[in-house]
């Protein structure tokens, strides 16, 4: 270290400062990505919790559509065949 000139020491300090700035930016971006990932996981959990209820509603709607189609077919048969 004693052989190092002032210019070399100054360059070394500048590199260390640049490295520190880069590390701070990287840490900030990692924190942002972590927050976004946590939000995504929460949304995914909410969707998974709502799926059984949505499946129940979809089954009810399919039954209603089937009954309506059956009613229409019954009316048509009653009108034209009977």
């Amino acid at each position: 270290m004693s052989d190092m000139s002032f210019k070399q020491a100054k360059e070394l300090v500048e590199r260390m400062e640049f490295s520190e700035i880069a590390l701070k930016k990287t840490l900030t971006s990692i924190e942002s990505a972590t927050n976004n990932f946590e939000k995504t996981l929460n949304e995914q959990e909410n969707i998974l919790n709502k799926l059984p209820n949505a499946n129940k509603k979809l089954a009810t709607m399919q039954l209603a559509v089937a009954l309506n189609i059956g009613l229409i077919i019954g009316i048509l048969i009653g009108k034209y065949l009977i």
Side-chain angles (χ1 to χ4, degrees), residues 28-78:
T28 303
S29 67
I30 287 174
E31 288 175 353
S32 173
T34 302
N35 289 337
N36 288 338
F37 185 67
E38 287 176 2
K39 287 178 185 177
T40 303
L41 284 178
N42 288 336
E43 287 296 320
Q44 190 175 27
E45 186 176 341
N46 289 338
I47 290 171
L48 287 175
N49 289 336
K50 291 179 182 179
L51 274 177
N53 193 16
N55 285 339
K56 218 184 288 184
K57 286 182 180 179
L58 185 61
T60 305
M61 186 182 296
Q62 288 174 342
L63 181 63
V65 168
L67 287 174
N68 284 333
I69 290 174
L71 178 67
I72 291 171
I73 290 173
I75 290 173
L76 290 175
I77 289 173

Side-chain angles (χ1 to χ4, degrees), residues 8-19:
Q8 289 173 333
K10 186 177 177 183
E11 288 176 2
L12 184 61
V13 168
E14 286 177 357
R15 286 183 192 162
M16 290 173 69
E17 287 174 350
F18 288 140
S19 296

